[in-house]
Amino acid sequence: MSERTRIVLIDDDRDDIDVALRAARREQLPVTITVFQDSREVLDALGVEENGNGHGVAGSRLRPHAIFLDLRMPRIDGWEILRRLRENPHTREIPVIVQSWSTRREDIERCYALGANSFVAKRMTPANPGFYFADAVRYWIQLNQTPWSAPSGM
Amino acid sequence: MTASGVARLAWAVWIAVFAAAIAAMWLTPAPYELLAVGAALAFVLGLLAVRLRRSSRRASALAEGNRTLVASAEELRRLNEILEARVASRTSELETLTHSFSHDLKSPLGAILNFSAILVEDHRADLSPEGLDVVARIRRSAMRATALLDGLLRLDHARRAAFDAQEIDMRSLARQVFAQVQSATGDRGVELVLEPMPNARGDRLLVADVLANLFDNAVKFSRGREKRCVTMRGFLDDRDCRYEIADNGQGFDMEYVDKLFGVFERLHDSREIPGTGVGLALVKKIVQRHGGHVWAEGEIDRGARFSFTLPAAQVKR
């Protein structure tokens, strides 16, 4: 693979970000991770405006292969980000993996109803912190096939 | 005719008779006997009228009292309704609060566990043996808090989970759940004896949780003993099924039986026997959601017996 796979990680919690980045580093995942702690910033960077407007990722330098999204964010929360990503024709098909400490049924249901591709529970483990992020990245980047990803098995 | 109406009529009659008697005396020289009879009649009528008047007054006072009573009973019922609605709304508020709190607490607890793990993994060389021990203690406490939180969430789930009532083949469910407990605990040293038992009606997943907790206890509290065995049997009592799960483990002191089903109540040191004190509270909650009840009997060193009722799949004829 000449071009590294690009991932956008959206989370307002610096601790959770650091744990995720450390896990990715340790597992030497072949990805470039761009982190956003602010909802407004990420929506701008992805070219997503309200009501399905905005040029979307086509004109943005980001063009992520997958978006990892936290739910509890100040002002514009994860669900709202998800809704806007799904509303916009240019970001509609990017896999969105929600990551949250909450495993409330209502929270999970709402994510899938809004079009999330996956829901991963952030979890505390006796060892290997952040393994959930590394495992999810591996699946979505190496196993999952999207219309625009390079054909696999070659 | 009402009592007061009768009294008024009696008065009128009395006055009329009296007036007639006076008039008769005045107008005609009447025979004295007639006059005496008239006077007696008037006297009796008068007495009657006084009586009637008194009883009518009492009757109306009673009716008044009755009205007040009915009104205050109505008021009481209304107040009760308001109170109940308030309790229900406060309870649900509290439940929602517990629910979101428990989920929110996971994040900071997770950070403690994650970063203490990173500290040990990445900076082991910088830590003295004492330092490592301190970190280990912090982690143990955080793990314990995590387990407690997990227990709270499980209780919350038992309270809120969707309820799908269906007929449950308790024998096959028991066999299945017991196998799960064996593989989860990695302890296959307990024999399960299933005696005949009727089918229940309830939510299969929730009832499975009841069995899992009771079997898990039986396995846990018999560890290190000879010929460990757990027996389950069931009876059909009228509309309810009663099930018993008995073990030959270390039992418990009946003096503390009231504490057994309380949340976070434990009769054993958590260093001796692991647990958070949520299992039996969970069992109670689930059985209660089915409209049943649960109780326990035990004796130190002679095992424990847990009984619970569930609605029967078929009502006994």
Side-chain angles (χ1 to χ4, degrees), chain B residues 45-111:
Chain B
L45 266 170
L47 263 182
L48 216 67
V50 167
R51 270 257 169 98
L52 260 168
R53 186 166 232 198
R54 222 179 267 156
S55 74
S56 99
R57 223 178 275 144
R58 213 173 298 148
S60 69
L62 264 174
E64 180 62 30
N66 235 355
R67 262 196 299 282
T68 321
L69 259 178
V70 167
S72 50
E74 176 65 24
E75 176 73 4
L76 213 65
R77 202 182 53 75
R78 210 175 52 79
L79 280 175
N80 207 28
E81 261 171 26
I82 292 173
L83 218 63
E84 256 167 39
R86 213 172 278 172
V87 168
S89 105
R90 290 279 152 82
T91 309
S92 103
E93 249 171 55
L94 262 177
E95 281 176 3
T96 312
L97 209 67
T98 315
H99 190 63
S100 57
F101 252 7
S102 321
H103 282 279
D104 289 346
L105 270 176
K106 282 158 78 177
S107 163
L109 263 176

Side-chain angles (χ1 to χ4, degrees), chain A residues 25-122:
Chain A
R25 215 168 36 239
R26 278 170 75 94
E27 311 252 340
Q28 299 181 331
L29 297 175
V31 290
T32 303
I33 302 173
T34 312
V35 176
F36 290 91
Q37 282 184 267
D38 185 272
S39 312
R40 174 62 59 198
E41 269 174 37
V42 75
L43 289 172
D44 286 346
L46 290 170
V48 175
E49 291 163 20
E50 269 185 273
N51 307 318
N53 293 323
H55 53 71
V57 283
S60 113
R61 61 187 168 83
L62 272 173
R63 287 178 295 119
H65 295 87
I67 296 173
F68 285 74
L69 176 65
D70 180 37
L71 283 181
R72 305 218 182 277
M73 309 261 295
R75 294 178 294 279
I76 304 173
D77 64 24
W79 291 288
E80 180 57 21
I81 294 176
L82 180 58
R83 197 182 63 75
R84 294 193 197 177
L85 287 173
R86 286 299 175 251
E87 228 173 40
N88 190 305
H90 304 289
T91 53
R92 189 169 289 153
E93 286 173 346
I94 303 175
V96 173
I97 299 94
V98 173
Q99 294 189 115
S100 177
W101 284 107
S102 166
T103 46
R104 293 174 66 171
R105 197 195 165 91
E106 303 91 301
D107 291 353
I108 301 172
E109 273 171 356
R110 223 174 126 201
C111 286
Y112 283 115
L114 286 170
N117 296 79
S118 179
F119 188 104
V120 173
K122 292 179 181 176

